[in-house]
């Protein structure tokens, strides 16, 4: 019978699904703002483009918080880090729900993002370690599936609830659910000793890998492309496509289904054909976003293209995440955090550029144009990575539970996981 960290051959460990539940909440809070922008802007007395800074601020918090919190908690037990992150996450949402100040809400978003960055950085390491090299991309795909499932269920429900209770209702719900998740994670994440078997110096030394930075560059650009459009999707759908505001959550469900499908596709294909999968998906994302510019005046076509944007764009994510952790070899913690920061750098840059485009003469179609450019640029680091090859160190630190009384030699030992029998193709 599989344990919390083990599983039958060919099956993912249960702990990966536990982590996916946590990322569901993280994804909901990050993206639900897109469906609540008009309400939040009116209630907090700011413009819609200013309210969009709540998404940008969250992304910036994760950019800084991911690596910082990963290093700060490197020697702490994994379970303590995850539970603490969820507790801060819950508190941040409660503070935001109680406030009438845009500045306070913005600050609470940043603090919440710091906690989210810590959770993701630790979670990705646990997931890839528990799954082993042969299933690492699939494990990342399932964990990120919690994020994309948030777009299918969490974000639309949050938008529906927000229309009847105001934007504070979803924030209170997230605070309560995060508190419950902290208890759940505390129950199912195994007890471990210190957080990692490597030093801070080893983590930093892993950043010398040139291929790692190419993978991170792709993460930045593809997420920037998708989120540039998604951040301001509500005004595009209501004012240009003519879709009623009450139906916007249904379109967000279509986006979420596409994102979930893309994550699953990337998780399945990425272990064997990483470069073909990512380059094709990036090109498709750019073309879809370009098509959205003239076609967004048609409600049906707009919904189909929003679905396609998510399907193609999110195919890239689990692949580049798994590659980045693989390139880091025996020091994946900081790299995992930087991957999360990379995605959020893209979100921050994409949403900021899209906000400027929205206020320019480009109007409602400006964000889609910005997204198309970002997605097209994603192909540059991916092509460079394909030329350099993706085969390399696949050793991942084994997060085996250790007694707190273990001798120093045991605490510093490294037991590399067996590499996959068939290395991923560089095609």
């Amino acid at each position: 019978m599989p344990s919390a960290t083990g599983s039958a051959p060919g099956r993912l460990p249960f702990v990966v699904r536990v982590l996916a539940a946590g990322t569901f909440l993280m994804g909901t809070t990050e993206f639900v703002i897109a469906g609540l922008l008009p309400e939040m802007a009116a209630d907090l007395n700011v413009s819609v483009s200013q309210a969009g800074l709540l998404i940008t601020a969250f992304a910036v918090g994760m950019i800084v918080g991911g690596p910082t919190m990963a290093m700060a908690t490197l020697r702490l037990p994994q379970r303590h880090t995850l539970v603490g992150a969820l507790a801060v996450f819950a508190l941040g949402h409660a503070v935001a729900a109680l406030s009438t100040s845009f500045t306070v809400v913005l600050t609470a978003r940043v603090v919440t993002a710091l906690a989210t960055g810590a959770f993701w950085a630790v979670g990705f390491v646990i997931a890839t370690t528990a799954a082993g090299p042969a299933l690492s991309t699939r494990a990342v795909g399932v964990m990120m599936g919690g994020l994309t499932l948030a777009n299918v269920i969490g974000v639309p429900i949050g938008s529906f609830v927000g229309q009847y209770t105001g934007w504070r209702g979803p924030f209170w719900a997230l605070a309560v659910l995060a508190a419950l998740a902290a208890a759940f994670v505390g129950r199912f994440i195994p007890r471990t000793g210190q957080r990692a078997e490597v030093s801070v110096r080893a983590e930093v030394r892993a950043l010398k890998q040139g291929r790692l930075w190419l993978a991170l560059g792709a993460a930045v650009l593809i997420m920037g492309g998708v989120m540039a459009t998604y951040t301001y999707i509500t005004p595009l759908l209501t004012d240009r496509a003519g879709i009623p505001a009450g139906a916007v959550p249904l379109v967000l469900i279509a986006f979420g289904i596409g994102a979930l499908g893309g994550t699953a596709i990337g998780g399945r294909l990425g272990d064997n054909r990483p470069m073909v999968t990512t380059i094709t998906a990036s090109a498709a994302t750019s073309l879809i976003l370009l098509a959205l510019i003239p076609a967004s005046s048609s409600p049906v076509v707009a919904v189909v293209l929003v679905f396609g944007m998510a399907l193609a764009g999110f195919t890239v994510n689990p692949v580049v995440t798994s590659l980045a952790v693989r390139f880091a070899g025996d020091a994946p913690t900081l790299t995992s955090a930087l991957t999360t920061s990379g995605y959020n750098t893209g979100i921050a840059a994409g949403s900021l550029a899209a906000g400027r485009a929205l206020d320019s003469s480009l109007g409602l179609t400006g964000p889609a144009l910005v997204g198309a450019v970002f997605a097209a640029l994603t192909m540059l680091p991916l092509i460079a990575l394909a030329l350099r090859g993706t085969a390399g160190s696949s050793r991942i630190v084994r997060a085996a539970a250790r007694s707190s009384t273990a001798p120093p030699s045991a605490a510093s030992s490294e037991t590399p996981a067996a590499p996959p029998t068939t290395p991923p193709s560089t095609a």
Side-chain angles (χ1 to χ4, degrees):
M1 179 180 295
S3 65
T5 58
S7 64
R11 299 185 63 182
L12 292 174
F14 176 67
V15 68
V16 176
R17 291 169 174 80
V18 173
L19 294 168
T23 59
F24 171 82
L25 292 178
M26 309 297 181
T28 299
T29 196
E30 183 161 16
F31 300 131
V32 75
I33 299 295
L36 301 173
L37 275 184
E39 292 82 358
M40 296 189 74
D43 186 55
L44 298 172
N45 296 314
V46 296
S47 67
V48 173
S49 59
Q50 284 179 298
L53 291 176
L54 294 171
I55 295 176
T56 305
F58 191 93
V60 171
M62 288 192 66
I63 292 168
V64 177
T68 302
M69 297 304 294
M71 292 294 94
T73 61
L74 185 64
R75 296 296 180 180
L76 296 179
Q78 294 168 329
R79 188 173 67 161
H80 291 180
T81 301
L82 296 179
V83 171
L86 285 166
V88 173
F89 182 91
L91 181 62
H93 282 81
V95 169
L98 289 169
S99 178
T100 58
S101 166
F102 178 75
T103 302
V104 172
V105 175
L106 193 69
T107 303
R109 290 284 289 173
V110 173
V111 173
T112 302
L114 296 177
T116 302
F119 185 94
W120 282 15
V122 176
F124 279 132
V125 174
I126 296 174
T128 53
T129 300
L135 296 176
S136 62
T137 301
R138 188 184 301 180
V140 171
V142 170
M143 185 176 167
M144 295 184 73
L147 174 65
T148 51
L149 188 62
N151 287 289
V152 180
I153 299 175
V155 172
I157 290 178
S159 297
F160 274 124
V161 171
Q163 290 179 8
Y164 294 100
T165 68
W167 64 270
R168 300 174 196 279
F171 272 63
W172 278 118
L174 285 167
V176 172
L177 290 173
L180 293 175
F184 187 80
V185 168
R187 167 68 176 81
F188 287 100
I189 296 296
R191 293 178 180 271
T192 59
Q194 72 181 57
R195 256 269 279 127
E197 297 179 353
V198 294
S199 66
V200 173
R201 181 179 300 178
E203 293 284 343
V204 174
R205 190 166 54 242
L207 302 184
K208 294 180 180 179
Q209 276 271 8
R211 295 177 303 170
L212 167 63
W213 291 102
L214 291 174
L216 291 176
V220 170
L221 291 167
I222 192 61
M223 188 57 72
V226 174
M227 292 307 297
T229 307
Y230 184 77
T231 298
Y232 298 101
I233 198 66
T234 298
L236 178 72
L237 295 173
T238 56
D239 299 345
R240 183 170 171 82
I243 295 175
V248 168
L250 298 177
V251 183
L252 300 183
I253 291 176
F255 176 90
I257 292 173
L260 189 62
T263 302
I265 291 171
R268 287 288 179 177
L269 301 181
D271 281 319
N272 296 318
R273 308 289 290 184
M275 305 322 302
V276 168
T277 301
T278 52
I279 292 173
T280 302
S282 299
T285 304
S286 182
L287 293 174
I288 290 169
L289 289 172
L290 283 175
L292 186 61
I293 296 173
S296 57
S297 58
S298 168
V300 175
V301 176
V303 173
V304 172
L305 292 176
V306 167
F307 168 82
M309 169 185 74
L311 182 70
F314 277 78
T315 296
V316 179
N317 296 352
V319 186
V320 294
T321 299
S322 180
L323 288 176
V325 174
R326 179 187 305 162
F327 296 150
D330 287 330
T333 307
L334 181 57
T335 297
S336 175
L338 286 173
T339 304
T340 302
S341 294
Y343 288 128
N344 285 276
T345 299
I347 293 173
S351 61
L352 184 62
R356 297 289 180 85
L358 181 68
D359 290 336
S360 73
S361 59
L362 294 172
L364 295 172
T365 60
L369 179 60
V370 170
V373 172
F374 270 68
L377 291 175
T378 305
M379 290 186 285
L380 296 180
L382 290 174
I383 291 172
L385 189 55
L387 294 175
R388 295 190 64 174
T390 60
S393 175
S394 61
R395 295 195 303 167
I396 300 174
V397 177
R398 188 183 302 276
R402 295 192 304 275
S403 169
S404 59
T405 60
S409 59
S412 61
S413 64
E414 297 180 9
T415 307
T421 55
T422 304
S425 169
T426 59

